[in-house]
Amino acid sequence: MKAGLSHAFDTPPPGAAADWTIPQNWAAYTAEEHARWDLLFARQSAQLPGRVVPAFLEGLDVLKLSKPGIPDFDELNAHLKARTGWTVAAVPGLVPDAVFFEHLANRRFVAGQFIRRADQLDYLREPDVFHDVFGHVPLLANPVFADYMQAYGEGGLRAAHLGALEKLARLYWYTVEFGLIRDGGSLKIYGAGIVSSHGESIYALEDAKPHRIGFDLKRVMRTRYKIDAFQAAYFVIPSFETLLRQTVETDFAPLYEAIERLPELEPEDILPEDELIRPA
Ligand code: HBI
Ligand code: FE
């Protein structure tokens, strides 16, 4: 989802539970909506092999997400829960940060129930079912990434009390949404915002314009981001294990304080100590 957009309201919309979840009501999707999912799915599936981290394709496979039509969350959850204990719950769209982190900390991923309109195929602000389920859910079948997402949720609940949500949202943005990863000698995409984007899944790996910088927790949390354009900077992790270990082993409180004393960075900025990585 486009992290960093906090919800306009702080009470659940009509029909939603206290945790903002709503019934998916899978039977109510129209044939045209299912066809839109199939179009988006086919478009991304045609360009991801060789560009996306193998664990993503493994997730598509074990979660049977190649089945035509918008996935029925009850069916999806039977596979997903058996793999890593995660489940997907439907929500109307963006939920407040605290609600979001509470769900992640409990291995629940909240997914938009709606699917984008035909005139929004290439971009929409709010997370729809394609961005959330195609973009985010396959990696929740990977045990290490599944652990990272829960650790992130727990960190978010702590960050909320330390007033450090903005810094933590940057970590989510530059990993879960727009992260790149080394895979053998090449770069692959894993961030849901790239994986679910027709244009950015090419741009992120091949365009000379954006910087690709070796992942560093402090550097990422100092770096602002824009939500409505292709990214000007991508951060590259060596492995999901490294990302998980840094998140679990870091005491974030002193890190937040250290960052407070440093100037914030624009995504276009480069520091002398940055490890710059060339596209393949
Ligand atoms: N709500 N439905 C939904 N999905 C998200 O990814 C999401 C959210 N609310 C807040 C949020 N993400 C961000 O603040 C976090 O990414 C930090
Ligand atoms: Fe997302």
Side-chain angles (χ1 to χ4, degrees):
M1 99 81 200
K2 306 291 169 245
L5 297 170
S6 59
H7 203 276
F9 321 104
D10 277 335
T11 52
D19 64 1
W20 289 66
T21 55
I22 57 173
Q24 182 190 12
N25 197 7
W26 184 82
Y29 290 123
T30 66
E32 204 269 328
E33 286 176 313
H34 285 300
R36 232 175 291 152
W37 168 281
D38 291 343
L39 171 69
L40 289 161
F41 189 96
R43 223 171 51 156
Q44 291 314 101
S45 302
Q47 69 183 33
L48 287 177
R51 287 195 172 93
V52 72
V53 66
F56 177 87
L57 298 174
E58 288 156 19
L60 281 186
D61 180 40
V62 296
L63 299 177
K64 310 278 182 273
L65 279 167
S66 306
K67 182 178 166 202
I70 297 171
D72 180 334
F73 291 1
D74 290 339
E75 278 179 30
L76 173 59
N77 286 336
H79 300 299
L80 180 60
K81 195 167 176 64
R83 290 279 303 190
T84 56
W86 276 85
T87 57
V88 179
V91 287
L94 284 181
V95 305
D97 286 343
V99 172
F100 183 65
F101 292 126
E102 179 68 24
H103 281 297
L104 291 186
N106 290 283
R107 295 205 172 218
R108 259 189 319 273
F109 190 81
V110 287
Q113 184 273 344
F114 72 100
I115 189 159
R116 64 192 72 181
R117 297 191 314 267
D119 65 339
Q120 294 176 307
L121 286 192
D122 283 329
Y123 178 73
L124 78 163
R125 282 173 72 84
E126 294 241 349
D128 73 334
V129 67
F130 185 75
H131 168 92
D132 278 329
V133 175
F134 182 85
H136 284 284
V137 171
L139 282 180
L140 293 177
N142 174 281
V144 179
F145 197 81
D147 287 354
Y148 169 68
M149 286 291 278
Q150 178 175 20
Y152 179 86
E154 291 164 345
L157 293 172
R158 285 195 299 274
H161 297 117
L162 294 170
L165 276 187
E166 189 181 25
K167 295 179 186 63
L168 208 78
R170 292 170 180 169
L171 175 60
Y172 188 89
W173 186 266
Y174 284 116
T175 57
V176 180
E177 290 296 355
F178 290 95
L180 299 180
I181 186 169
R182 289 187 194 284
D183 180 48
S186 68
L187 290 186
K188 294 281 192 318
I189 57 182
Y190 73 92
I194 311 176
V195 156
S196 58
S197 160
H198 189 53
E200 197 153 1
S201 41
I202 308 288
Y203 173 88
L205 290 180
E206 298 174 20
D207 200 288
K209 191 156 169 288
H211 302 314
R212 295 168 184 87
I213 303 170
F215 177 83
D216 171 89
L217 202 52
K218 197 163 156 187
R219 175 68 165 83
V220 163
M221 293 204 281
R222 291 177 60 190
T223 309
R224 292 195 185 106
Y225 55 84
K226 295 183 181 64
I227 63 167
D228 49 5
F230 286 178
Q231 297 308 300
Y234 297 98
F235 287 88
V236 183
I237 60 173
S239 68
F240 292 142
E241 287 76 7
T242 306
L243 185 60
L244 174 63
R245 193 168 50 252
Q246 285 202 19
T247 303
V248 170
E249 289 173 1
T250 301
D251 180 353
F252 278 78
L255 184 60
Y256 292 144
E257 281 161 34
I259 293 169
E260 274 303 300
R261 289 192 291 275
L262 296 168
E264 292 200 327
L265 300 167
E266 291 308 321
E268 295 77 8
D269 293 344
I270 292 188
L271 299 181
E273 64 267 29
D274 284 344
E275 178 204 358
L276 291 182
I277 296 158
R278 296 271 164 264

